[in-house]
Amino acid sequence: SRRWRSNMSNANLTGVKVRMSRRRQKLTQQELADKAEITKPHVSMIESGKRTPSLDVLNRLAKALKVKPGELL
């Protein structure tokens, strides 16, 4: 719902979208990390909302997940 969404930080929302896209592609965090050329802990921190990806990392994640970068925001 809209209310639930507004209570989430941008980092949390991006993390949820990264996780959903990763699972849709049937990738592990390690596989996504390898494809995006980042570390598995970095993927974990992004997915949990503890870290906001830089524009560069967002673009690499999007490419690895075969989505447009805006779909992860």
Side-chain angles (χ1 to χ4, degrees), residues 19 22 27-34 40 43-44 47:
R19 179 176 284 129
R22 176 178 62 78
L27 296 173
T28 65
Q29 286 185 340
Q30 186 63 62
E31 289 167 335
L32 176 57
D34 292 345
K40 181 180 175 280
V43 171
S44 178
E47 287 189 357

Side-chain angles (χ1 to χ4, degrees), residues 7-24:
N7 288 336
M8 293 186 77
S9 72
N10 287 339
N12 283 345
L13 189 56
T14 296
V16 167
K17 289 181 177 184
V18 168
R19 179 176 284 129
M20 287 173 55
S21 295
R22 176 178 62 78
R23 288 180 175 166
R24 210 175 293 125

